[in-house]
Amino acid sequence: MTTRFFRLLAWQLLLTLACMLPRAHAADGVEITRAYIESVDEGYKLAASYAFDLNHGLEDAVQHGVPLFFTTEIELTRPRWFWFDEKAIVARRTSRISYNVLTRQYHVSITGNVQQSFASLEDALFLIRRPSRWLVAARGALKPGETYNVTLRMDLDRDYLPKPIQVNAFNNSEWRLSSNKKSFLYKAE
């Protein structure tokens, strides 16, 4: 009888501990699922894709007319043995997603590109998750044959939010959506 009682108590304890653990949500962060640089006639382009979901608070904010801004930052550095690493390229690109209540459409605009409209939030997020290749540097910005350290990061940029919302966003964990830095090597062509 006592062994059975202790087993039951142990199972209840394990179940209680499992319920108390924090739950991992896809909305907790951005995952960089693919990233590489390719050499083209114009220069060097970044091809990347991301995996993330908006939590309920962010979805609600978009549907009530608050635009969200996602900033991708890339940095290419060349290691030097005699001094600090040389920063060859530092580039940023910001994407904006918003909702128009009158037309019931989501709009995505990427800095320097045309705005596109979508019927659903999921379709609009697809463009942010899988953006077109981005020209990060002109031809000649990198030294051919040299190996560069590439660091890539994407996050929800709270600096672009309207001021009254910024105050809440900086103190609220629901407004924190960012990736870890992804690093890889690229040999310039």
Side-chain angles (χ1 to χ4, degrees):
M1 180 91 162
T2 59
T3 308
R4 190 172 174 199
F5 174 75
F6 284 116
R7 282 187 191 161
L8 182 61
L9 185 62
W11 275 109
Q12 286 179 339
L13 181 63
L14 284 173
L15 184 62
T16 304
L17 287 174
C19 291
M20 291 172 49
L21 290 174
R23 294 182 181 162
H25 297 285
D28 287 344
V30 176
E31 179 186 353
I32 301 171
T33 57
R34 178 187 67 149
Y36 63 91
I37 294 181
E38 57 187 16
S39 178
V40 294
D41 292 338
E42 305 89 42
Y44 301 94
K45 287 191 173 187
L46 170 69
S49 60
Y50 311 96
F52 67 92
D53 289 320
L54 298 181
N55 59 37
H56 179 70
L58 292 176
E59 274 187 34
D60 195 41
V62 168
Q63 291 172 350
H64 284 89
V66 177
L68 299 180
F69 297 85
F70 295 90
T71 299
T72 302
E73 184 173 42
I74 185 169
E75 183 178 290
L76 278 82
T77 57
R78 187 171 59 95
R80 295 187 289 193
W81 65 271
F82 61 90
W83 198 247
F84 297 111
D85 292 350
E86 173 192 5
K87 286 189 181 182
I89 298 169
V90 176
R92 293 171 56 102
R93 182 165 90 167
T94 302
S95 304
R96 176 182 184 259
I97 186 168
S98 61
Y99 180 68
N100 187 323
V101 180
L102 296 175
T103 61
R104 294 185 182 170
Q105 289 194 331
Y106 295 90
H107 302 285
V108 175
S109 60
I110 298 172
T111 308
N113 290 340
V114 181
Q115 178 173 301
Q116 293 182 342
S117 300
F118 299 92
S120 72
L121 178 61
E122 196 59 35
D123 291 343
L125 285 172
F126 184 81
L127 184 61
I128 294 174
R129 290 180 188 133
R130 288 182 177 63
S132 61
R133 296 178 310 154
W134 166 34
L135 186 66
V136 294
R139 176 68 59 197
L142 302 177
K143 296 178 183 178
E146 293 287 331
T147 301
Y148 292 86
N149 295 322
V150 181
T151 305
L152 180 65
R153 186 168 186 266
M154 181 195 201
D155 66 341
L156 175 67
D157 201 336
R158 296 173 293 185
D159 292 336
Y160 287 104
L161 294 171
K163 293 294 180 197
I165 295 174
Q166 271 186 12
V167 174
N168 183 39
F170 282 105
N171 295 322
N172 189 340
S173 63
E174 281 191 351
W175 288 84
R176 291 188 192 108
L177 186 64
S178 65
S179 71
N180 292 327
K181 288 184 178 181
K182 181 175 182 85
S183 298
F184 59 95
L185 297 175
Y186 174 69
K187 186 171 185 176
E189 298 174 8

